[in-house]
Amino acid sequence: MTVRKTIDAASDSLTQSERKLAATLLSDYPFTGLLNIQELAEEAGVSAASISRFTAKLGLDGYADMQRRLLEELRRGNVSPVDLHDRSTRIEGSFLAGFLARAAAQIESAGDAITEGQFDRITGLLSDPRRRVFALGGRISDTIAQHLTFHLAQSREGVYHISRDPESWPGHLLRMRPGDVVLLVDFRRYEPALERLARAMSTKRVKIVLMTDSWISPIKGNAAEVLAVPIETGTVWDSYAAALAIVEALVARIAELTWEDTRTRIEMWDATRALITETKT
């Protein structure tokens, strides 16, 4: 369990000063937790002794133990497939059956990544016709963003997939209006260019929905909603099965909520596609 999840699990038992400390730690996670104990105490407005009691309540062996765990999380957020292979867990027996079992378990645990309330908030944002929707992912994870925009565009207008070419980004930024929604998908190893783009987007006062992993992309600092989905399979490759399942749940729910408009748009879409792809005989 990450330190973030440990803090979340203990939230109901925290005192007022401990809640202040938890909020400070999570405000720029995990980096605030890497300050020395006196700096963190000053930042949070608590005593060093309060920090020691807080870490003990979390079941950690002091502040140094918490920092060690945070550093390990940072290292795990920057691992390559070579690193993953070295620490992978061998699948015994049928590889296909074993891998599918792990992917199924990953999808099942995805419910911990997003609450029903958060799911409803995000579907509300993505389905609001007053808000335009933009999406972009990383070098590999952009397929998740493309999947969202392809299906969402059949339910509503104003849906744009942002090109991976940074030269196109200024045009999209100029098009954005306050209140528009941007889905950014950023899994380990995180892309600095996406973080810079998110900072620029924040000046446009858009709502950024970040889909990331349990180690949390640095984009989190500019995001209105963060979906930390499971990606580890214990093999050389991370799996985006859970991320894809969440995106499919979002677009399916939006289609149901707006079914009359969605049906009309799909019918028009199909008729137009047939018209322009019709082969002359």
Side-chain angles (χ1 to χ4, degrees):
M1 185 181 292
T2 63
V3 172
R4 173 191 293 276
K5 288 185 177 180
T6 303
I7 293 173
D8 288 341
S11 59
D12 290 342
S13 65
L14 300 180
T15 65
Q16 183 175 351
S17 63
E18 287 168 345
R19 286 196 294 271
K20 283 177 55 181
L21 176 57
T24 302
L25 286 167
L26 298 178
S27 65
D28 189 20
Y29 184 89
F31 304 104
T32 303
L34 299 178
L35 298 171
N36 68 50
I37 194 167
Q38 294 299 335
E39 290 173 329
L40 177 58
E42 183 176 345
E43 182 83 12
V46 300
S47 67
S50 294
I51 296 175
S52 297
R53 288 192 294 271
F54 174 78
T55 56
K57 183 174 286 188
L58 297 182
L60 304 176
D61 189 18
Y63 187 58
D65 183 35
M66 187 181 80
Q67 290 192 313
R68 179 187 60 78
R69 295 185 185 213
L70 290 173
L71 287 171
E72 176 60 22
E73 288 179 27
L74 281 172
R75 282 192 289 270
R76 294 185 68 178
N78 196 39
V79 297
S80 73
V82 173
D83 300 316
L84 290 175
H85 181 269
D86 291 342
R87 66 175 66 169
S88 63
T89 306
R90 181 178 177 84
I91 295 176
E92 302 294 342
S94 167
F95 189 90
L96 176 60
F99 187 89
L100 291 177
R102 292 186 184 187
Q106 183 191 76
I107 292 173
E108 186 175 355
S109 69
D112 296 332
I114 177 170
T115 65
E116 285 296 326
Q118 188 179 35
F119 182 81
D120 290 343
R121 288 196 303 272
I122 294 172
T123 53
L125 289 171
L126 294 175
S127 62
D128 187 344
R130 298 167 298 179
R131 304 176 189 269
R132 289 177 292 185
V133 176
F134 301 80
L136 175 64
R139 182 171 57 91
I140 300 175
S141 60
D142 193 43
T143 55
I144 303 294
Q146 289 177 317
H147 198 70
L148 174 96
T149 54
F150 178 83
H151 289 286
L152 191 58
Q154 296 190 63
S155 288
R156 51 157 295 173
E157 296 182 352
V159 178
Y160 306 95
H161 178 258
I162 301 174
S163 168
R164 287 277 303 152
D165 180 7
E167 290 297 321
S168 73
W169 293 353
H172 287 289
L173 284 167
L174 291 171
R175 181 184 294 163
M176 291 176 185
R177 301 176 301 211
D180 284 348
V181 184
V182 183
L183 174 77
L184 293 178
V185 188
D186 193 27
F187 297 123
R188 65 179 183 187
R189 297 169 276 175
Y190 311 119
E191 296 196 24
L194 286 184
E195 183 186 2
R196 292 192 294 270
L197 178 61
R199 287 200 299 268
M201 287 174 172
S202 67
T203 67
K204 305 290 288 188
R205 291 184 291 147
V206 300
K207 299 281 189 180
I208 296 177
V209 177
L210 170 65
M211 177 170 280
T212 185
D213 48 47
S214 59
W215 303 281
I216 312 295
S217 159
I219 293 171
K220 180 257 180 189
N222 291 299
E225 300 281 354
V226 178
L227 305 176
V229 302
I231 63 171
E232 282 191 301
T233 62
T235 69
V236 64
W237 299 114
D238 287 330
S239 171
Y240 297 163
L244 183 61
I246 289 174
V247 164
E248 291 187 332
L250 288 168
V251 295
R253 181 57 175 157
I254 290 168
E256 291 182 356
L257 290 172
T258 62
W259 178 241
E260 291 304 318
D261 291 336
T262 294
R263 180 174 61 184
T264 300
R265 185 166 173 82
I266 290 175
E267 289 171 346
M268 294 174 60
W269 189 292
D270 288 344
T272 304
R273 182 174 57 189
L275 179 65
I276 62 177
T277 60
E278 187 178 70
T279 302
K280 292 183 178 181
T281 58

